[in-house]
Amino acid sequence: MKLAVLFLEYDPVKYENAFARFKGYADRLRGCDIRYYLIDNRKTGEGASRISNSLYRLDGDNSGREFSGWQKGLIYLHSHLDDYDAILFGNDAFLAYGWNLLESAGQMNLNKWLCGNSALGHIDTKGICLEAFGHDVSRWICTNCFFLSRPMIEKIGSVVSLTDSDMDAIIRPQFPGHPKQKDYAAYFRKDCPLNDNYKQMAVTWLTGEWHGKFEIQEATWDLFRTKLRSLINESLLTAKILHCGYSIESYKNYLKHRPSFFSEIFE
């Protein structure tokens, strides 16, 4: 199996040696001929350099954070006709939650997965109905580390769904002021294409649960817009996968020794 790895790097100080650690895990994947593409999202342009037979370094595109950077990598792969069967997407925050699916890399049977019809990664849910742009995104594939097959990528098209200007239909460009009584919906436009559960989830996640949580105020409004766009791009990537007739699947289904019932509960 030919596996291309698109690894997005943006903050090498905050996430020191992130690529080396990621590669150390990914190199343990069995039955894979791996080629790495390290995307530097601090740089824009068309720069590309070959570091070794299996490692390339590319200029990125941070206009849509990791999603635009990954799309830049996909464009490079296709324009250079690089051969691959599947892509592993990752970014330098892949260990921010204290665990990552590649810790089980040595037990993963990717060739068996490739014969199926799914995107592979960690599947998350809040246990409530979440809707974005008319799509049910109550379950989604986490995008800090995930696999897509080549046919899936070619059918989906871009991994970017929203641009900055698209966000104007969701929230205002300027800080609207603090809502009364924690009315999270007040941050959003009334005709926003997100249901109330999604709005509350997004605000709660970014201000209280995310590893880089922050308080929403005038000074952080642009950050809120940017991070909300990434959150929705993650949701809409799952929606695209499902719309194209594929499914999303847990990596645990392809481990040689699957976790026990109790370990899954207490993970």
Side-chain angles (χ1 to χ4, degrees):
M1 173 181 176
K2 294 182 178 179
L3 180 68
V5 176
L6 297 184
F7 185 86
L8 196 289
E9 181 182 78
Y10 182 74
D11 194 339
V13 175
K14 182 177 180 180
Y15 302 112
E16 187 177 2
N17 297 322
F19 175 66
R21 298 174 73 183
F22 185 93
K23 186 176 184 298
Y25 287 118
D27 280 345
R28 296 164 52 205
L29 291 166
R30 297 179 295 123
C32 293
D33 177 12
I34 305 177
R35 185 171 293 177
Y36 294 90
Y37 299 84
L38 178 57
I39 303 168
D40 186 350
N41 241 28
R42 295 167 301 170
K43 296 182 179 179
T44 58
E46 302 305 320
S49 58
R50 180 178 177 179
I51 308 301
S52 69
N53 288 337
S54 60
L55 175 60
Y56 293 74
R57 190 173 188 92
L58 311 177
D59 288 349
D61 175 0
N62 201 46
S63 61
R65 296 294 180 104
E66 62 268 38
F67 292 92
S68 54
W70 285 327
Q71 188 60 33
K72 187 76 172 290
L74 287 174
I75 291 171
Y76 178 86
L77 287 180
H78 295 160
S79 64
H80 287 75
L81 301 177
D82 283 10
D83 191 22
Y84 66 90
D85 299 308
I87 289 182
L88 167 59
F89 296 81
N91 62 40
D92 52 10
F94 80 106
L95 279 175
Y97 301 105
W99 64 274
N100 78 93
L101 62 88
L102 289 181
E103 289 174 335
S104 303
Q107 300 179 37
M108 295 178 70
N109 189 337
L110 289 181
N111 286 291
K112 182 179 179 182
W113 159 71
L114 194 61
C115 295
N117 202 37
S118 66
L120 187 67
H122 176 69
I123 309 304
D124 207 352
T125 181
K126 294 294 185 181
I128 56 177
C129 177
L130 301 174
E131 295 181 356
F133 290 82
H135 299 285
D136 183 344
V137 291
S138 304
R139 294 176 69 253
W140 66 93
I141 190 165
C142 294
T143 54
N144 62 341
C145 187
F146 65 104
F147 297 85
L148 298 181
S149 67
R150 182 166 190 159
M152 188 180 304
I153 291 168
E154 292 174 347
K155 194 168 183 179
I156 289 172
S158 178
V159 296
V160 179
S161 296
L162 297 180
T163 65
D164 185 59
S165 60
D166 293 328
M167 291 300 295
D168 291 343
I170 299 173
I171 56 175
R172 299 182 185 280
Q174 292 79 33
F175 180 59
H178 292 290
K180 298 179 180 178
Q181 300 178 347
K182 293 187 177 181
D183 179 14
Y184 298 138
Y187 286 126
F188 299 82
R189 293 188 182 274
K190 290 185 178 180
D191 57 352
C192 167
L194 308 172
N195 72 346
D196 287 343
N197 281 346
Y198 197 106
K199 297 171 188 175
Q200 181 171 344
M201 178 277 294
V203 174
T204 300
W205 173 255
L206 294 174
T207 62
E209 299 174 356
W210 181 48
H211 61 84
K213 62 185 178 182
F214 58 92
E215 180 181 348
I216 299 175
Q217 50 191 341
E218 186 171 6
T220 61
W221 185 247
D222 287 342
L223 175 62
F224 176 62
R225 277 177 59 100
T226 299
K227 296 309 300 181
L228 177 63
R229 175 157 52 119
S230 291
L231 199 63
I232 300 172
N233 270 326
E234 179 177 64
S235 297
L236 293 181
L237 178 58
T238 288
K240 282 183 175 181
I241 291 169
L242 299 178
H243 180 73
C244 288
Y246 298 99
S247 62
I248 57 174
E249 194 171 13
S250 171
Y251 70 97
K252 296 175 184 177
N253 295 344
Y254 294 91
L255 297 184
K256 184 177 180 181
H257 302 291
R258 293 191 60 188
S260 69
F261 172 76
F262 292 103
S263 67
E264 289 190 5
I265 290 178
F266 296 107
E267 182 181 78

